[in-house]
Amino acid sequence: MLYYILKYAVLGPVLRLLFRPRLEGLEHIPDEGAAIVAGNHLSFSDHFLMPVMLKRRITFLAKQEYFTGPGIKGRLTAAFFRAVGQIPVDRSGKEAGKAAIREGLGVLAKDELLGIYPEGTRSPDGKLYKGKVGVAVMAIRGKAPVIPCAMVGTFEIQPPGQVVPKIKRVSIRFGEPLDFSRYEGMENEKAVLRAVTDEIMYKVMELSGQEYVDRYAADVKAEESRRFRGLIG
């Protein structure tokens, strides 16, 4: 109930008024049945702007830190993500990745809409980074189509580190569903998983117009963090 109150009575109307999202390809989102919406991740605002524009409820695999933050802001953020049914995911280690896949497959098994950011974290600089193969595993094993999605302009309104977003129009683009049924039973083959993930990321790149970087965003962020510590050390 709280989800629908937030979406239709509180958050949705406010976001539509402030950011006036341009929607493209909304017809590619199926009215029913399991499907994965795989998008780029530029801003904290992505968590709110895209879901409120969809008719169907979408469940995202959200990083666990959103549920464990300190202070009033942390509690409010955790309360919001729980209220809208988002699933906390521990992103540390191989077993954590397997747990995330299990959670995602559980959503698909209920014929629901699953949202995922294959990059695994927000882009540090507005570029599109290499996708992690969990999205491919879920698409093949869950027998679900993948709808590529591109957020355009959200990095400019709220880049990492900026708390209050700028009021500026954004665009949300959905591409045609990608069918990977030809790979059924091959979800343990690394080459197949890489090929499927790269195909998804290529479609996202086409929709977003971003520059693609063939590296994981998390690795780039770790390098920047080490470089910063070295400068101040």
Side-chain angles (χ1 to χ4, degrees):
M1 179 62 71
L2 183 55
Y3 169 83
Y4 292 103
I5 292 174
L6 286 170
K7 181 172 180 176
Y8 294 108
V10 182
L11 200 56
V14 171
L15 293 178
R16 288 177 185 273
L17 178 65
L18 293 178
F19 300 103
R20 298 171 293 125
R22 296 185 187 92
L23 299 176
E24 301 175 26
L26 199 57
E27 68 275 10
H28 297 312
I29 302 294
D31 293 330
E32 58 184 20
I36 299 171
V37 177
N40 58 344
H41 195 15
L42 295 168
S43 167
F44 185 71
S45 299
D46 297 340
H47 292 292
F48 309 97
L49 284 167
M50 190 261 277
V52 299
M53 300 304 153
L54 298 180
K55 293 180 181 179
R56 293 183 63 183
R57 179 170 180 166
I58 183 169
T59 299
F60 270 88
L61 301 179
K63 67 178 182 179
Q64 187 169 300
E65 290 87 337
Y66 287 146
F67 297 81
T68 58
I72 295 176
K73 179 185 175 183
R75 289 195 292 272
L76 288 174
T77 300
F80 171 81
F81 279 98
R82 289 193 184 95
V84 298
Q86 306 309 283
I87 300 173
V89 173
D90 182 353
R91 300 181 300 171
S92 59
K94 194 172 182 179
E95 290 304 315
K98 292 180 180 178
I101 288 171
R102 285 196 299 270
E103 294 285 1
L105 289 172
V107 173
L108 297 174
K110 293 184 286 187
D111 283 335
E112 295 178 356
L113 207 56
L114 174 68
I116 187 171
Y117 301 118
E119 291 169 279
T121 186
R122 280 176 286 176
S123 170
D125 51 16
K127 298 176 183 177
L128 183 68
Y129 285 85
K130 187 176 182 178
K132 297 187 176 182
V133 301
V135 63
V137 175
M138 287 185 276
I140 297 171
R141 193 177 297 172
K143 301 178 181 179
V146 178
I147 296 97
C149 172
M151 306 296 295
V152 180
T154 55
F155 185 83
E156 287 73 20
I157 68 170
Q158 193 181 21
Q162 183 169 321
V163 178
V164 180
K166 298 176 184 176
I167 305 303
K168 186 177 178 182
R169 196 169 195 184
V170 301
S171 296
I172 306 172
R173 300 170 182 160
F174 299 97
E176 294 183 6
L178 303 174
D179 178 13
F180 297 109
S181 59
R182 62 191 183 276
Y183 296 118
E184 185 175 350
M186 303 172 70
E187 66 270 19
N188 294 320
E189 297 190 22
K190 291 182 179 179
V192 168
L193 297 180
R194 185 74 264 158
V196 169
T197 305
D198 288 347
E199 182 177 340
I200 294 168
M201 299 309 292
Y202 183 79
K203 292 298 182 181
V204 173
M205 181 187 70
E206 285 188 322
L207 289 169
S208 69
Q210 291 170 274
E211 178 184 344
Y212 180 75
V213 180
D214 193 27
R215 298 185 63 197
Y216 293 116
D219 292 342
V220 173
K221 286 184 175 182
E223 277 186 12
E224 290 179 351
S225 179
R226 288 193 296 270
R227 191 178 304 116
F228 178 74
R229 289 198 300 269
L231 289 173
I232 64 174

